[in-house]
Amino acid sequence: EPTSIRERLRVVVLARLRCDRQTRDERVYPLLRANQVISELQPGPGSSDDQGPFFGEIMGAARLRERNIKHRELRSAVVDLFAQRQSRISTKVAQLKEEYLTLHERWMEHCARLDDEQKSGSSDEVAVPSGGRATRRSTAILGDAVRSDLEMEQIIASLGVEELTDPSYLAIRNVAKIPDMISVTQGSVQYLFDDTNNILDDPAEFYGASSRSDYWTEEEHNIFMKEFAAHPKQFGVI
């Protein structure tokens, strides 16, 4: 015997399904037909007669013919406009191609001239003997070769003078290191300035005595003056 309400309802439904001889179509069709009859008895909103003349005026033959004429006139103008635009684009592309070819030829000529200069410069170099003692000719060719300590000192001195006078060396030393810029995205800078200059807003308070106990008494001051007069600047004795 079922105990819960759900099981009891299930038993009732199964019993009705076994004993009910009416099919699903027989139950649904009368309700559907009744709803259709009700919908036919209540006519829906029809088209208003007031909109007829306005619709006819818009879609009339005269207005349609006028619009077609305007469209044909505008079509030729639009086609001409696009043709002119395409012609300008083609002309611009041709000019750019010609300019590129001209610049490319000039660049290739410049590269060839540099190659020729490099080849001619390398052929003019004189072979230097790798071994043996240094002669006058080899010394003249090799500027870095020295024959005495005096020449070595002269070369070192010239290098020092060159570093002090050569603009390239001076530029390397004086190059400014520019930090990255801070981007302000939300209307304010999210960074604080880190003061590393050790600035003092109140030097008197910073260097002054921190308490009254730092001051000398009158007796201590007199003793110091007597000892300083007896032993000037000898603070170890004082």
Side-chain angles (χ1 to χ4, degrees), residues 6-70:
R6 183 176 181 180
E7 293 179 355
R8 293 175 183 176
L9 291 175
R10 183 171 178 274
V11 171
V12 172
V13 171
L14 291 176
R16 291 191 61 180
L17 289 176
R18 285 196 301 268
C19 299
D20 193 2
R21 300 181 181 276
Q22 191 177 13
T23 62
R24 181 175 180 275
D25 294 337
E26 292 176 353
R27 292 193 302 270
V28 173
Y29 183 75
L31 296 176
L32 180 61
R33 183 57 185 166
N35 292 333
Q36 290 177 352
V37 171
I38 293 173
S39 63
E40 291 175 357
L41 294 177
Q42 296 179 358
S47 60
S48 177
D49 296 337
D50 297 337
Q51 299 177 0
F54 181 72
F55 183 78
E57 182 181 357
I58 294 177
M59 300 302 295
R63 295 293 299 273
L64 183 61
R65 191 181 306 107
E66 184 179 355
R67 284 199 302 272
N68 290 334
I69 294 173
K70 289 183 179 180

Side-chain angles (χ1 to χ4, degrees), residues 219-237:
E219 183 180 0
E220 292 174 348
H221 182 71
N222 294 332
I223 293 173
F224 176 77
M225 294 299 294
K226 291 179 181 179
E227 294 294 333
F228 186 80
H231 310 284
K233 294 186 179 181
Q234 297 182 12
F235 298 102
V237 178

